[in-house]
Amino acid sequence: MTAIDAKATGAGASSRAAQKWDQANWSQMEADVKRLQARIAKATREGRWGKVQALQRLLTRSHSGKMLAAKRVTENRGKRTPGVDGRIWSSPAARWNGMISLRHRGYRAMPLRRVYIPKSNGKKRPLGIPCMRCRAMQALWKLALEPVAETQADPNSYGFRPERSTADAIEQCFITLAKRASPEWILEGDIRGCFDNFSHPWILEHVPMDKAILRRWLQAGYIDEGTLFETSTGTPQGGIISPVIANMALDGLEAAVYASVGTSKLARSNAQLNVVRYADDFVVTGVSKDVLEFKVLLAVRQFMAARGLELSEEKTRITNIADGFDFLGQNVRKYDGKLLIKPAKKSVKSLLDKVREIIKGNASVTQEALIQQLNPVIRDGPCITVTSWRKRASHR
């Protein structure tokens, strides 16, 4: 075969791969995956863990599951962000070939690329960026793990879950605290370095998925400024499956809080305990400061310790609703018995600083171009009215 023939053959294979990707029946694939996910959820409710494992294996080896996983990682916001190998799946042919590479036999997780993003307090949050193949493999296993996580999730957990958002978490705060007889004391919980400190043995024991694959992800390590570092704890922020694993580790917090005052419903009702959690941020209401400090807080610390976590002493506090508290960018406070929820001062300042930065940095652009840059920042900002929460609550 001549060099010209080999080049033509390669081009022909690439063209066929691109054609197969472009002609994919996505609606049928989504239906196939949803059908398997429904069976996984049903088996989880029935406690048939052997069947859960078998169905997960079927989904993660299916063509539909692999195609949807490859589609997700090539259409989300990080589609142009490479891992340590510097590769992205930008063309239809590359996406098809990437999908073909999602084989479990011989799979080895590559180290993550460490990047840092600024936090509101001036510090930097570390993110681990997996390579495209590891990202797609995580997206594939997320399809199989999410039905289990959703079936077992706490009722008032709202972070990184399908059909739930920060708005739902704030709405639950309104429902819990707006009445005249609502609890007046709130425990604001903050977990120190949550994603970085999860216990690997706990995750490997309690997360129901292929242990070999999970262990490779947890122990893949990361590369920072050319140096390889090992990871002995935590799940990488930036991994697609990390939020699901984190939610599964923190599920059970509500039960631990309720058990701190006794097993009867009457004890829980008298203590006025309610939990609202969004990822690693949570608040617990109580009838008195003593109940929260000497019962609930101890139970929460024990719950966290079993998972390798601990509460931040500086950010974990007990406050009265009359003094108010900040939660998910909103300030929740009662003024003369009337609950008002409005954007927190810190969130408003952050939004204004970002708007000023965009305006000053684009002094020479057209008005239309400037508006296009400002719109997403303003639209996603914290300015949400109390009336909107009331309307949402009344429609529930």
Side-chain angles (χ1 to χ4, degrees):
M1 181 184 291
T2 65
I4 295 177
D5 291 336
K7 185 176 181 180
T9 302
S14 176
S15 176
R16 286 193 297 272
Q19 188 177 20
K20 289 179 181 178
W21 180 268
D22 290 334
Q23 294 178 351
N25 187 346
W26 296 111
S27 58
Q28 182 61 49
M29 292 177 185
E30 289 173 359
D32 292 342
V33 169
K34 286 182 179 179
R35 193 178 302 113
L36 281 172
Q37 288 179 321
R39 293 177 65 189
I40 292 172
K42 181 181 178 183
T44 302
R45 287 193 299 271
E46 295 172 351
R48 302 172 63 184
W49 295 106
K51 187 170 184 179
V52 168
Q53 187 177 10
L55 290 170
Q56 285 182 329
R57 180 180 176 85
L58 183 61
L59 195 158
T60 54
R61 270 74 174 177
S62 69
H63 176 73
S64 296
K66 292 179 180 180
M67 286 289 285
L68 290 179
K71 184 174 187 286
R72 169 166 182 171
V73 301
T74 54
E75 293 186 356
N76 60 12
R77 288 192 299 177
K79 61 185 178 182
R80 295 187 180 90
T81 305
V84 292
D85 58 356
R87 297 179 181 176
I88 57 173
W89 299 346
S90 56
S91 67
R95 295 169 188 174
W96 176 266
N97 293 327
M99 181 276 297
I100 295 295
S101 72
L102 300 181
R103 301 186 184 94
H104 287 72
R105 179 174 295 180
Y107 170 73
R108 292 290 182 272
M110 294 185 68
L112 290 81
R113 182 167 69 91
R114 176 60 63 91
V115 297
Y116 297 90
I117 59 173
K119 297 171 65 174
S120 58
N121 58 5
K123 297 181 180 179
K124 292 186 176 181
R125 185 191 307 277
L127 287 183
I129 309 298
C131 67
M132 290 298 293
R133 187 188 179 200
C134 292
R135 223 178 295 174
M137 188 67 84
Q138 289 187 21
L140 178 60
W141 267 101
K142 183 184 177 184
L143 294 173
L145 190 59
E146 204 165 51
V148 181
E150 286 299 302
T151 303
Q152 297 182 320
D154 286 347
N156 292 301
S157 165
Y158 297 95
F160 306 113
R161 293 184 59 190
E163 308 299 330
R164 295 197 175 203
S165 66
T166 54
D168 297 309
I170 297 296
E171 176 191 340
Q172 185 60 34
C173 289
F174 180 85
I175 293 172
T176 303
L177 298 167
K179 299 173 185 176
R180 185 171 299 175
S182 294
E184 297 184 356
W185 290 93
I186 293 92
L187 166 65
E188 304 173 61
D190 185 273
I191 305 171
R192 180 182 286 113
C194 179
F195 280 83
D196 296 330
N197 294 304
F198 279 118
S199 166
H200 283 182
W202 192 97
I203 291 175
L204 288 168
E205 182 180 353
H206 293 90
V207 174
M209 64 166 285
D210 188 307
K211 305 301 181 185
I213 297 291
L214 180 57
R215 184 178 290 106
R216 290 183 185 122
W217 287 337
L218 294 176
Q219 300 176 356
Y222 63 91
I223 293 179
D224 189 5
E225 296 182 352
T227 304
L228 176 63
F229 296 88
E230 295 182 354
T231 48
S232 56
T233 60
T235 60
Q237 296 190 60
I240 288 179
I241 205 170
S242 293
V244 179
I245 294 176
N247 267 336
M248 295 189 76
L250 294 174
D251 283 332
L253 178 62
E254 287 190 44
V257 168
Y258 299 149
S260 66
V261 295
T263 56
S264 68
K265 291 184 179 180
L266 180 61
R268 171 190 163 185
S269 177
N270 290 338
Q272 294 186 310
L273 295 182
N274 298 277
V275 181
V276 181
R277 180 171 67 83
Y278 189 95
D280 58 335
D281 294 324
F282 65 93
V283 293
V284 183
T285 68
V287 68
S288 68
K289 184 177 181 179
D290 289 343
V291 168
L292 293 177
E293 185 173 2
F294 299 112
K295 293 184 179 180
V296 173
L297 191 55
L298 292 177
V300 171
R301 285 199 173 109
Q302 291 177 359
F303 176 87
M304 297 298 173
R307 290 151 177 78
L309 305 174
E310 61 180 3
L311 296 177
S312 170
E313 297 296 335
E314 307 82 39
K315 297 181 180 180
T316 299
R317 59 179 68 91
I318 298 173
T319 56
N320 192 281
I321 190 62
D323 299 323
F325 63 95
D326 291 346
F327 184 53
L328 303 178
Q330 304 292 318
N331 179 262
V332 184
R333 183 178 174 184
K334 267 188 176 179
Y335 298 83
D336 296 327
K338 184 180 182 65
L339 185 73
L340 295 181
I341 300 176
K342 55 187 179 181
K345 291 181 180 179
K346 186 188 297 184
S347 301
V348 173
K349 183 180 182 302
S350 175
L351 174 66
L352 293 177
D353 290 343
K354 193 176 295 184
V355 169
R356 288 191 190 99
E357 183 181 349
I358 292 174
I359 293 175
K360 290 180 180 179
N362 294 275
S364 60
V365 303
T366 64
Q367 184 180 23
E368 182 181 0
L370 180 60
I371 290 173
Q372 287 180 347
Q373 291 192 53
L374 288 174
N375 271 344
V377 176
I378 297 173
R379 183 173 56 245
D380 298 335
C383 299
I384 304 170
T385 64
V386 180
T387 307
S388 65
W389 302 125
R390 288 177 177 166
K391 287 181 179 178
R392 289 173 62 88
S394 64
H395 284 80
R396 273 292 172 95

